[in-house]
Amino acid sequence: MVLLFLGDWRSSLIVIITIPVSVISAVMFLKLTGQTINLMTLSGLSLSIGILVDQATVTIENIHQHLEMGKSKKLAIFDACREISFPLLLILLCILAVFAPSFVMNGVPKAMFLPLSLSIGFAMIISFFAAQMLVPVMSNWILKSHTNVNEAVYTHAGLALDEEELTEIKKHMDEETSHPEKNDLFQKIKMAFLRRLEKLMPNKKLWVIVYLAGALLAVAFCFSFIGKDMLPKVNSGQFQLRVKEPDGTRLERTEEAVHKVLAIIDSATGNHVSISSAYVGLIPSSFGTSNLYVFNSGTQEAVIQVGLDEDYKVNLDDLKEKLRANINRLLPEARISFEPIELTEKIMSQGASTPIEIRVAGKNMDDISNYAGKLKQKLSAIPFLRDVQIQQPLKFPVIRIHFDRFKIAQMGLSLPEVAQSVTDATSSSRFTYKNLWLDQNNSYTYQTQIEVPEYMMNDMSQVQSIPLIKGMNRPFLGDVATFSVDSVPGEYDRSGPRRFVTVSANINKKDLGTATDAVQKSIAEIGELPKGLQMQVKGMSSLLIETFSSLQSGLLVALVVILLLLAANYQSFKLSLIVLSTTPAVLLGALLFLLATGSTLNLQSYMGIIMAIGVSVANSILIVTNAENLRPKYKSAIEAAKVSASVRLRPILMTSLAMIAGMIPMAAGFGEAGDQTAPLGRAVIGGLAASTLAALFIVPLVYSVTMQKASFDDSSLLPENNNSKPL
């Protein structure tokens, strides 16, 4: 873009050199603060490149403007850098303020945003110093002086500081207007822009009101309509599936069902399964794996992980729907549920196995089960929810053994001895008797145990015939106990003193925000709960509510901080509000582009919106600062606004188009993890495109309306300002 607008490869080279200098320095500071190269820091560095280009471009473009005014190269560089230094510092502080709230966030939002904010902050601080130190030095080395000012390619003045530069502005404007046939492409664009701006000026109040009212209403509508998620959906070509047979199903029967499910998956994908793994039943107590990684509540459960071939492209939501239908048809008693498999999803889920989880907690298990069943029925009626089920096995079949203590005592036995015999026969001897075997060859000891295979004890009579005394056939367990078949909860989960049951559900082709609202509505429809019973939304839904609340509060705080910074600089709240007048355009442009591309509002798109707001503030600052310099000389806010917008047209278009072009590959979702960062690029493109138009057309109108009757006296107390307002 620098080469296109300035026609100078030397200027382009200077801008390009500042990028690796800033990025490498930022990586070094990230290392010093204990950060790593990850998705968030890389996203921050990629976002910051647009601002790096912006700062260097504004500096080099201003140098060219001063060279075009006939100044010597050293004087042009000095005046240009002095002139632009404070606006660039103000822009830097405003953009840093946008990301400052990440330092006071908590939990997952802080873990996500802090690395991104640090990477952007370090890169921008380095780029500011590079724009003020490296760019001037390199410009002095390799830029050429403009020997023939009148034939300069893009002749127009920069920020007006004195009468000479003001005269130069008028001269160039008159030349471009009186001899349009001599204008090049950019000058034609500038003149067309000025003509359009002049047509808007007579009805400036109307246009400002229409813009503000229309933009705010459209933002509110888009925000209520757009989907909301924690992270973008990623088609990674892998998924995790939990299969549940009826409570109490034997291990070998569950294993048979798993083989059938794997065959169904293979058939549904056309034999494009690259790898699959499954675990059936409970983890043995002697097995060295934590339940944190593989957790099943009984022999009736199994977990399956499937990876598809890389060249097999399929929509995972459609594939999951197909698998649900096929498994339900061939295994009607089985329940399935798809679970997160990506590491990021698992972290965001905070241990939850599905995006929707509602915890029904209380003290009475019957009440808990009753209301969990009611909630399950309510959720099953929501059309876009899938795999609605109660996670815990509540009807696990058991055999109740009622001991007759009198008979046990008559036979010279004790209750612990009888219980030990039952444990040995139905579970394992390792729980009742420690038996170590020494290997003489290597002096290792091994724990040995004896257990009866489950498939051999498959009848009530076999349980009744368990011997109670070692080496003797009598007495049997049936001699001292009676038996009955019952069902009990197969798993008890607690949170503090309360037991709880979890109702879970997956989402099909709907965003998490809409699903969460529907779930909360279903909970409200159940009515008032008994005393001591409560329902809580857990998992990713609760994190979504917390995160979005934190982000919106942080964005509001950032805007207030920017307003105060601008007010301190301009010593005027009116000028500060003029600068922030592009914010509705940023929000509207980003939301519309996200809706048009089918994206949702998530952490990535929020980052893009925040970044676009920072860039829009930067563009507005350039126009407003220049207009304030021109207004006392022109004695007209309208004329100052028009000239300022025309003068800043080139740097604003250069930086905006450069950043939009840089975001196109990200927005297109190229690469293996492209789907995850695409909303960020789309939000930046939409927000920046809208804010550029607002900065060029709306900011001059707002400035003209707001400052039309303002005093021309300078409020500064510096002694060199002769136009200062008297005390």
Side-chain angles (χ1 to χ4, degrees):
M1 291 300 164
V2 178
L3 183 62
L4 175 65
F5 280 93
L6 295 180
D8 183 12
W9 65 267
R10 293 177 175 83
S11 301
S12 303
L13 179 63
I14 294 172
V15 172
I16 291 172
I17 289 175
T18 61
I19 297 175
V21 170
S22 301
V23 171
I24 293 173
S25 301
V27 171
M28 180 185 69
F29 282 105
L30 287 173
K31 171 67 176 176
L32 295 177
T33 55
Q35 299 294 328
T36 60
I37 297 297
N38 51 57
L39 183 63
M40 302 312 298
T41 52
L42 287 175
S43 297
L45 291 174
S46 63
L47 273 177
S48 65
I49 288 176
I51 303 297
L52 309 186
V53 173
D54 177 88
Q55 296 205 356
T57 300
V58 168
T59 303
I60 202 75
E61 193 270 346
N62 212 36
I63 291 173
H64 271 269
Q65 289 189 6
H66 281 268
L67 286 172
E68 291 163 3
M69 295 167 60
K71 296 181 180 179
S72 65
K73 183 165 67 172
K74 290 184 179 180
L75 181 60
I77 293 172
F78 177 77
D79 286 347
C81 292
R82 181 188 62 177
E83 180 180 278
I84 208 71
S85 60
F86 191 78
L88 285 183
L89 177 62
L90 187 61
I91 290 169
L92 171 67
L93 294 176
C94 288
I95 296 179
L96 292 180
V98 171
F99 294 95
S102 62
F103 290 90
V104 296
M105 291 179 179
N106 296 313
V108 173
K110 182 175 183 178
M112 294 287 289
F113 268 89
L114 187 58
L116 179 133
S117 302
L118 288 174
S119 59
I120 291 177
F122 289 141
M124 285 200 57
I125 292 171
I126 298 299
S127 74
F128 171 75
F129 286 106
Q132 293 298 299
M133 298 178 183
L134 180 62
V135 171
V137 171
M138 295 195 65
S139 299
N140 189 48
W141 285 350
I142 65 176
L143 283 188
K144 285 186 175 181
S145 300
H146 285 252
T147 55
N148 192 343
V149 179
N150 293 328
E151 296 179 2
V153 179
Y154 299 113
T155 306
H156 57 286
L159 296 173
L161 293 179
D162 51 35
E163 292 298 330
E164 180 185 353
E165 295 182 3
L166 194 63
T167 304
E168 195 71 22
I169 288 178
K170 188 176 185 304
K171 173 185 174 182
H172 293 149
M173 292 292 249
D174 293 341
E175 182 70 20
E176 291 168 354
T177 304
S178 58
H179 301 287
E181 69 279 358
K182 295 182 179 180
N183 291 341
D184 54 36
L185 177 61
F186 176 75
Q187 288 171 324
K188 291 178 181 178
I189 294 174
K190 187 178 77 169
M191 296 310 297
F193 163 71
L194 275 175
R195 288 194 297 271
R196 176 62 60 183
L197 191 59
E198 287 174 353
K199 289 181 180 179
L200 297 176
M201 279 297 177
N203 300 313
K204 52 185 177 296
K205 288 185 179 180
L206 176 62
W207 285 113
V208 169
I209 294 172
V210 169
Y211 160 74
L212 292 175
L216 292 175
L217 288 175
V219 167
F221 174 77
C222 291
F223 187 79
S224 63
F225 185 74
I226 193 171
K228 300 172 184 66
D229 277 313
M230 279 299 300
L231 287 173
K233 293 181 180 179
V234 180
N235 196 351
S236 61
Q238 54 185 350
F239 58 88
Q240 179 169 308
L241 175 67
R242 183 175 295 273
V243 179
K244 295 182 181 180
E245 286 288 288
D247 294 349
T249 301
R250 297 175 70 91
L251 185 68
E252 58 271 23
R253 299 290 178 263
T254 307
E255 186 177 1
E256 292 174 2
V258 168
H259 284 292
K260 293 179 181 178
V261 171
L262 288 172
I264 293 172
I265 295 173
D266 199 41
S267 174
T269 58
N271 300 319
H272 282 96
V273 175
S274 174
I275 187 173
S276 63
S277 64
Y279 193 92
V280 184
L282 295 169
I283 297 176
S285 54
S286 58
F287 202 69
T289 300
S290 172
N291 286 339
L292 179 65
Y293 304 106
V294 180
F295 177 77
N296 294 330
S297 61
T299 55
Q300 74 278 359
E301 281 193 29
V303 176
I304 304 173
Q305 292 184 337
V306 178
L308 305 177
D309 293 334
E310 290 187 7
D311 57 349
Y312 179 64
K313 304 302 180 184
V314 65
N315 187 296
L316 281 182
D317 285 338
D318 294 337
L319 178 60
K320 290 176 181 179
E321 279 292 276
K322 186 176 180 181
L323 291 176
R324 288 186 182 103
N326 292 345
I327 293 173
N328 183 58
R329 177 170 49 85
L330 298 175
L331 298 171
E333 292 187 343
R335 294 176 296 154
I336 64 169
S337 178
F338 290 93
E339 300 179 347
I341 190 170
E342 293 285 339
L343 180 60
T344 307
E345 281 187 294
K346 290 184 177 182
I347 294 173
M348 287 296 178
S349 298
Q350 299 180 307
S353 58
T354 56
I356 300 294
E357 279 199 359
I358 303 96
R359 180 178 295 180
V360 185
K363 295 182 179 180
N364 189 302
M365 198 65 189
D366 292 335
D367 289 343
I368 296 174
S369 302
N370 181 30
Y371 276 88
K374 291 181 180 179
L375 180 60
K376 179 187 171 184
Q377 291 180 347
K378 289 281 187 183
L379 298 185
S380 298
I382 299 176
F384 49 80
L385 292 187
R386 300 289 187 272
D387 312 328
V388 181
Q389 55 188 261
I390 297 174
Q391 290 187 352
Q392 292 81 357
L394 300 180
K395 300 293 183 181
F396 199 90
V398 296
I399 298 174
R400 287 193 180 273
I401 304 175
H402 305 275
F403 293 110
D404 189 327
R405 296 175 181 268
F406 182 71
K407 290 181 180 180
I408 291 174
Q410 281 184 328
M411 295 180 182
L413 299 172
S414 64
L415 190 59
E417 290 174 332
V418 176
Q420 180 176 333
S421 299
V422 175
T423 303
D424 290 341
T426 59
S427 183
S428 172
S429 63
R430 77 184 301 267
F431 298 111
T432 60
Y433 181 71
K434 188 176 183 179
N435 186 18
L436 299 177
W437 175 75
L438 176 64
D439 187 347
Q440 299 292 340
N441 295 327
N442 52 27
S443 300
Y444 282 174
T445 58
Y446 298 90
Q447 185 174 3
T448 59
Q449 60 188 19
I450 300 173
E451 59 184 55
V452 179
E454 289 185 5
Y455 63 86
M456 293 182 62
M457 188 169 291
N458 52 18
D459 188 80
M460 183 74 77
S461 61
Q462 293 174 336
V463 179
Q464 293 173 343
S465 61
I466 294 175
L468 302 179
I469 300 177
K470 185 188 301 183
M472 297 179 62
N473 293 330
R474 300 298 292 267
F476 292 144
L477 181 61
D479 296 333
V480 298
T482 58
F483 303 86
S484 62
V485 178
D486 198 359
S487 62
V488 297
E491 175 187 336
Y492 285 105
D493 292 334
R494 290 182 179 274
S495 177
R498 288 188 174 91
R499 290 175 175 173
F500 67 86
V501 166
T502 305
V503 182
S504 62
N506 277 309
I507 306 170
N508 179 53
K509 295 183 178 180
K510 211 72 173 179
D511 61 280
L512 182 59
T514 302
T516 302
D517 293 339
V519 168
Q520 290 177 331
K521 183 179 179 181
S522 297
I523 294 175
E525 289 175 355
I526 292 178
E528 187 176 354
L529 301 176
K531 188 176 181 180
L533 197 70
Q534 61 180 13
M535 291 185 183
Q536 293 179 322
V537 178
K538 294 290 184 180
M540 204 178 289
S541 292
S542 61
L543 184 62
L544 177 76
I545 297 171
E546 173 193 343
T547 302
F548 272 50
S549 175
S550 180
L551 287 174
Q552 290 164 9
S553 301
L555 186 58
L556 182 61
V557 170
L559 290 175
V560 172
V561 171
I562 291 174
L563 179 66
L564 295 177
L565 275 173
L566 295 172
N569 171 63
Y570 294 122
Q571 300 182 30
S572 168
F573 277 105
K574 290 192 295 185
L575 291 173
S576 306
L577 292 173
I578 295 171
V579 172
L580 293 178
S581 63
T582 58
T583 302
V586 176
L587 298 176
L588 180 59
L591 292 175
L592 287 176
F593 200 74
L594 289 172
L595 285 170
T597 54
S599 302
T600 60
L601 191 61
N602 49 60
L603 283 176
Q604 293 286 356
S605 51
Y606 244 113
M607 295 174 200
I609 291 174
I610 289 174
M611 195 64 189
I613 288 176
V615 178
S616 72
V617 168
N619 290 336
S620 299
I621 286 174
L622 292 176
I623 293 177
V624 172
T625 301
N626 198 20
E628 273 300 281
N629 289 332
L630 291 169
R631 189 171 62 87
K633 299 178 174 65
Y634 280 115
K635 302 299 181 181
S636 169
I638 296 176
E639 192 66 24
K642 289 192 298 183
V643 174
S644 175
S646 66
V647 167
R648 304 316 302 164
L649 176 64
R650 185 169 69 180
I652 288 175
L653 288 179
M654 286 168 61
T655 55
S656 298
L657 292 176
M659 192 167 185
I660 289 173
M663 289 290 108
I664 288 176
M666 180 185 290
F670 294 142
E672 187 174 345
D675 292 341
Q676 198 160 4
T677 56
L680 188 151
R682 293 167 186 171
V684 171
I685 290 175
L688 201 54
S691 71
T692 301
L693 294 175
L696 293 174
F697 288 101
I698 300 301
V699 169
L701 297 180
V702 177
Y703 181 86
S704 301
V705 171
T706 307
M707 304 303 293
Q708 189 171 11
K709 297 181 180 180
S711 171
F712 298 112
D713 294 328
D714 195 339
S715 59
S716 173
L717 297 178
L718 294 175
E720 60 265 26
N721 292 324
N722 297 325
N723 294 328
S724 297
K725 191 182 298 182
L727 296 176

